[in-house]
């Protein structure tokens, strides 16, 4: 078990959380949730000993081991992928290195020669004889190509590095496993594998995630960081949402009832305090009033942006018509693909990482040339794009408000329009003047979405828009796109986002493109009937 005792964390005058005491018990899986900036990652780093709290302490059961997903992705650049994973079990790695030394040294000391008689037994008991197989199973599940596993970590792109570091955290089978955003950069098949792995995990799991499907599939409990406190709820994310709404409503009703009663008492006291015949009753009511405690709610860190997309011009019957398109880089991603997208469709492009989802989206948007075939867009199409990399469109040296001003339609109302647009997307006060280059991932995403709303385009293309958004922003985007009447093309690995939004699924797999007219659940049911795994 791991527990926090009276933990407080402050940065200057800002308090993230205060006097938090909570226990995480063996066999349970905890989803740690909260708005961006509420302190989730900070709390996780305190639990792992990476930073110190302003006050309080962390207690780990004697003899218990701890593993966590490291965020310092370049620490192991000089190690091979396999060795990086093996080091996730420090005891086994130490025995492995000792064994390697004993078997390769030109000369051994008498103590080392004696040690040779015991090393195999210790190595075997620690899992040494299956360590290559165990590591391979993790890397297979997380989708790391086999030909990369003896390569130095520095040769891997960031998304594959994350997978190796995740495998490293899982490899040692620690008693307490802490994972901060483990699904980032994972495709749907790898997310499914990780969900299954964690569901069977016997230790204590604490995981931060913004993936609603993951938070419903994995946690047995939700730890909600809000109001500068952490409250524990039994069940998954949907259970939390239901229970939390009921509790907030109950607290609000109770406070309203107390306030009403207090007003009644004050009114009586003011009217009859000087009346000798009523003095006793007034005194009684004064005592009752003094006992009423009206709860003062701390402000919630959970705030939702307001996201609504509208179209300034009517979209005609023709949106995108692609005939015989193909694309090859080092390998062929897809070839001879025919697609026609019409008005009002919401098309999800899915598939494992590296299969060409972004490439296909860019070709359909006209941002990339196909190697063959043609792509025609309708004359009425006005397209807005949310790119996978925010800095592809943002100017790092421009203030956020200045960058957004390019999309204003009314020069006379420019200042009002800008402030209103940024306020709806949670940019308040001086934050509107932050340079685009120093914005957080969530802020960059919200700024680009704000520009898309201001443009009022009739076709939206979004490449993994939920990657850096918190749960409230994801749900607001999901709702806003659901209300949008015109065409949406999007790439995503977020299963809940896809299934609640898409009316059509395009999957790229093994160089082939499957075009299915229906929701994700319907598509997966169809694949099951067809015997497609």
């Amino acid at each position: 078990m791991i527990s926090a005792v009276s933990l407080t964390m402050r940065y200057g005058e800002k308090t993230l959380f205060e006097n938090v005491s909570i226990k995480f018990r063996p066999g349970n899986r905890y989803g740690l949730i909260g708005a961006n900036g509420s302190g989730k990652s900070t709390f996780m780093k305190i639990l792992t000993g990476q930073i110190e709290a302003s006050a309080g302490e962390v207690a780990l059961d004697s003899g218990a081991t701890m593993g966590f997903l490291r965020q310092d992705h370049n620490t192991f650049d000089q190690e091979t992928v396999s060795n990086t994973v093996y080091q996730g079990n420090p005891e086994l790695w130490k025995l492995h290195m000792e064994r390697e030394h004993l078997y390769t040294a030109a000369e051994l000391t008498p103590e080392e020669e004696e040690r040779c008689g015991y090393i195999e037994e210790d190595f075997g008991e620690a899992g040494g004889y299956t360590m290559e197989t165990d590591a391979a199973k993790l890397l297979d599940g997380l989708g790391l190509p086999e030909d990369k596993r003896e390569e130095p970590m520095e040769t891997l792109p960031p998304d594959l590095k994350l997978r190796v570091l995740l495998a490293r955290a899982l490899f040692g089978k620690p008693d307490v496993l802490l994972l901060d955003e483990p699904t980032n950069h994972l495709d749907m098949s790898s997310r499914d594998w990780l969900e299954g792995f964690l569901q069977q995990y016997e230790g204590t799991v604490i995981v931060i995630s913004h993936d609603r499907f993951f938070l419903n599939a994995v946690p047995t409990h939700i730890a909600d960081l809000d109001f500068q406190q952490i409250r524990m709820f039994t069940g998954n994310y949907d259970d939390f949402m239901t229970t939390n709404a009921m509790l907030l409503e109950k607290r609000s009703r109770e406070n309203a009832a107390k306030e009403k009663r207090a007003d009644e008492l004050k009114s009586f006291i003011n009217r009859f305090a000087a009346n000798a015949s009523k003095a006793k009753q007034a005194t009684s009511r004064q005592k009752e009033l003094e006992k009423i405690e009206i709860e003062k709610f701390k402000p919630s860190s959970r705030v939702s942006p307001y996201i609504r997309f509208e179209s300034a011009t009517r979209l005609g019957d023709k949106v995108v018509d692609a005939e015989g398109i193909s694309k090859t880089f080092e390998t062929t991603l897809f070839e001879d693909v025919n697609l026609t997208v019409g008005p009002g469709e919401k098309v999800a492009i899915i598939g494992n990482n590296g299969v060409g989802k972004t490439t296909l989206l860019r070709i359909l948007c006209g941002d990339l040339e196909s190697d063959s075939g043609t792509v025609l867009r309708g004359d009425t199409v006005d397209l807005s794009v949310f790119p996978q990399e925010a800095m592809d469109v943002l100017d790092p040296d421009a203030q956020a408000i200045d960058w957004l001003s390019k999309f204003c339609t009314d020069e006379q109302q420019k200042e009002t329009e800008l402030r209103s647009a940024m306020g709806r997307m949670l940019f308040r006060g001086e934050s509107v003047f932050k340079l685009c280059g120093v914005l957080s991932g969530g802020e960059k995403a919200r700024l680009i979405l704000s520009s898309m709303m201001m443009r009022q385009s009739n076709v939206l293309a979004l490449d993994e828009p939920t990657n850096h958004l918190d749960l409230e922003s994801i749900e607001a985007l999901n709702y806003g796109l659901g209300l949008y009447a015109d065409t949406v093309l999007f790439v995503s690995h977020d299963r809940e986002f896809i299934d609640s939004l898409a009316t059509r699924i395009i999957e790229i797999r093994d160089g082939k493109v499957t075009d299915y007219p229906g929701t994700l659940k319907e598509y997966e049911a169809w694949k099951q009937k067809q015997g497609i795994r």
Side-chain angles (χ1 to χ4, degrees), residues 2-11 16-17 20 39-59 66 178 225:
I2 185 171
S3 58
V5 183
S6 301
L7 278 190
T8 295
M9 192 63 188
R10 299 188 183 92
Y11 288 106
L16 290 181
F17 43 85
V20 169
K40 303 184 299 296
S41 293
T42 300
F43 182 77
M44 188 83 89
K45 287 178 180 176
I46 293 171
L47 292 183
T48 59
Q50 296 176 81
I51 59 175
E52 289 188 10
S54 303
E57 61 183 17
V58 173
M66 178 191 293
L178 301 103
L225 203 171

Side-chain angles (χ1 to χ4, degrees), residues 409-466:
T409 55
D410 188 340
E411 283 296 321
Q412 293 183 340
Q413 297 294 322
K414 190 171 186 177
E415 185 67 24
T416 302
E417 185 182 353
L418 279 172
R419 285 287 184 171
S420 178
M422 297 196 80
R424 287 193 294 269
M425 296 307 284
L426 311 182
F427 287 92
R428 308 281 164 73
E430 295 299 308
S431 68
V432 302
F433 301 115
K434 291 170 72 173
L435 296 180
C436 293
V438 301
L439 295 176
S440 69
E443 288 172 327
K444 290 173 183 174
R446 296 200 307 274
L447 184 62
I448 294 172
L449 289 171
S450 185
S451 74
M452 296 175 73
M453 286 188 282
M454 292 177 70
R455 281 197 58 182
Q456 297 188 329
S457 298
N458 54 25
V459 177
L460 305 179
L462 305 100
D463 194 351
E464 301 200 36
T466 64

